[in-house]
Amino acid sequence: MTNNAIGVDFGTSNSTAALPGAAPVLVPLEDGRSDMPSAVFFDFETGRRKYGRAAIDAYVGDAEGRFMRALKSILGTSLEDDVTYINGSRVAFADIIAGFLRAIRQTAEQARGSAIDAVVAGRPVRFVDDDDAADRRAERTLERVYRAAGFADVTFQYEPIAAALDYERAVDREEIALIADLGGGTSDFSVVRISPAGRKRADRSGDILATGGVHLGGTDLDRLASMARVMPALGLNSRLKRDFGGDPITIPRHVFVQLATWQKIHLLYDRAILREVADYLRLAESPALIERLSHVLHERLGHRLALEVERAKIALTDGERARIDLAAVEPGLAAEIDRAAFAAIIERETQAIRQAMQETMRDAGIGPDGISAIFLTGGTTAIPHVRQALLETVPGAPVVDGDRFGSVGIGLALEAGRRFGGASA
């Protein structure tokens, strides 16, 4: 047994870490803030890596280098064992993730004042939908990455179960809680029996009534908004003339889909893709649009566009309208989106998330009336249309809003205390 443990919520968009104890404490990972964007910037001038907001600031500030985000999304895909070229050197994606997690461990060690060699790591209920072998492979890869980051003891807990442990600290009676953890890459659910007495039990397996989820999250909604509002300004749905006559054809979509997908943007900065886009420009009926696309790729502006889409999505949480600033592409260029239009854009995915929640309740054998409370965590629960869909499913249940970015990390620290020592009832 060791108390040199930590809970780490490595997320698609943001990450947190927490130290066990009578009252687990979130680690200030960056500039006094406990949540850190899951972003990496390779600074070509200094040869060093920057993480979190520092990585985003370096990229937006036009430092020479390579920016990457949403790396968790490669787990369970063909990219998890792949490499990329950064400033002429081969770097494995797993090594990039390990570097990010190592930075979290080192920051936590500084906050704690002692070494940390054990972790309870969060994981989604499903890394991969409908593929158990790929799901197991993704967990093995993540375990290997944590070990490479300096953790000798690595165990996992489902993220919605961790969120339930955080919620349980505040209850004064037994409840059947529906936990909804909607993050950047996945939407995860659990139905859990929680109680003051449960806080003292080491084995909680009998209290977990069901878990479920779907590989859909905030970055998927970013992609949909980008495809609907940004990519048409770069030539999506425009037409190409044929070299030898005949009817024009619609430009292929794959470049635009990749450009709108956080974890695939870097794949476009490739000579073959640039040649392909040059051919589009030669044949384009609307060459000004394809010139914009070519500019984005040559100047490696893909992540900057994704950041602007994400900002607009967040702005729609409280506002009715948002502006997607595309001045990096062309001075004065922008796209408008309102809350109603965004709701229509994400409707199918919202219903898929809702269905995953309903299936989790069915697996638990509990209907809406049997839910004592619904506990919401994760940034995607703040999106009005998604939130409404969840709450309409359990209309009579009280709503408890957890720390959107910290609840899972706190719960993982509670579990770390139980598994490795240092827990307090």
Side-chain angles (χ1 to χ4, degrees), residues 337-354:
I337 188 168
D338 60 46
R339 187 182 287 185
F342 184 50
I345 289 167
I346 66 172
E347 172 62 18
R348 185 176 68 175
E349 284 67 23
T350 299
Q351 292 308 315
I353 292 170
R354 181 177 185 172

Side-chain angles (χ1 to χ4, degrees), residues 5 18 21 55 67 73 78 81 115 126 129 167 171 184 198 204 208 210 225 250 337 363 374 404 419:
F67 181 76
S73 296
S78 60
D81 294 319
R126 300 290 305 184
D129 294 334
Y167 174 44
V171 302
R204 304 304 303 277
I208 301 171
T250 301
I337 188 168
D363 289 345
I374 178 171
R404 286 180 189 158
R419 295 182 184 183

Side-chain angles (χ1 to χ4, degrees), residues 5-48:
I6 193 173
V8 175
D9 177 22
F10 168 50
T12 301
S13 297
N14 297 280
S15 296
T16 62
L19 300 172
V25 177
L26 288 166
V27 176
L29 292 177
E30 186 179 30
D31 298 330
R33 297 181 62 168
S34 59
D35 63 299
M36 183 169 75
S38 303
V40 183
F41 183 78
F42 291 82
D43 191 318
F44 291 169
E45 182 176 344
T46 66
R48 299 173 65 88

Side-chain angles (χ1 to χ4, degrees), residues 125-328:
V125 174
R126 300 290 305 184
F127 284 106
V128 184
D129 294 334
D130 304 320
D131 190 336
D132 292 341
D135 191 79
R136 289 191 296 271
R137 188 167 60 249
E139 183 178 290
R140 288 196 299 270
T141 297
L142 189 54
E143 179 180 356
R144 186 174 73 247
V145 167
Y146 269 101
R147 293 190 186 281
F151 294 98
D153 292 314
V154 182
T155 63
F156 291 95
Q157 178 59 278
Y158 288 138
E159 289 155 1
I161 299 300
L165 297 177
D166 177 38
Y167 174 44
E168 187 176 49
R169 296 189 300 159
V171 302
D172 57 9
R173 58 185 176 84
E174 182 174 299
E175 294 184 5
I176 301 297
L178 172 60
I179 311 298
D181 174 24
L182 278 58
T186 60
S187 296
D188 296 309
F189 303 95
S190 62
V191 179
V192 185
R193 180 183 295 105
I194 59 176
S195 67
R199 294 196 289 264
K200 301 176 182 179
R201 289 198 294 271
D203 182 5
R204 304 304 303 277
S205 58
D207 294 324
I208 301 171
L209 306 183
T211 58
V214 63
H215 199 272
L216 275 173
T219 57
D220 297 288
L221 309 187
D222 293 347
R223 171 177 49 80
L224 294 168
S226 183
M227 291 293 288
R229 287 293 188 267
V230 175
M231 294 304 140
L234 306 183
L236 177 65
N237 299 326
S238 64
R239 301 198 303 175
L240 303 177
K241 296 173 288 188
R242 294 180 184 269
D243 273 323
F244 303 104
D247 294 333
I249 60 171
T250 301
I251 192 168
R253 292 172 58 88
H254 68 96
V255 170
F256 301 98
V257 172
Q258 285 187 289
L259 189 56
T261 305
W262 275 103
Q263 67 270 25
K264 294 183 178 180
I265 292 171
H266 69 278
L267 298 174
L268 294 172
Y269 306 143
D270 178 86
R271 292 177 183 174
I273 295 293
L274 296 177
R275 287 195 298 269
E276 182 179 342
V277 172
D279 287 339
Y280 295 163
L281 181 58
R282 179 174 57 85
L283 299 171
E285 288 190 342
S286 303
L289 299 182
I290 308 305
E291 284 176 357
R292 291 174 179 169
L293 174 63
S294 179
H295 175 69
V296 167
L297 298 185
H298 278 93
E299 297 301 318
R300 301 194 173 197
L301 299 175
H303 285 98
R304 186 169 299 190
L305 300 188
L307 286 167
E308 292 298 335
V309 172
E310 182 184 47
R311 290 190 182 107
K313 177 189 69 178
I314 293 170
L316 290 174
T317 298
D318 298 314
E320 290 295 328
R321 300 186 65 84
R323 184 174 187 268
I324 304 172
D325 187 354
L326 304 177

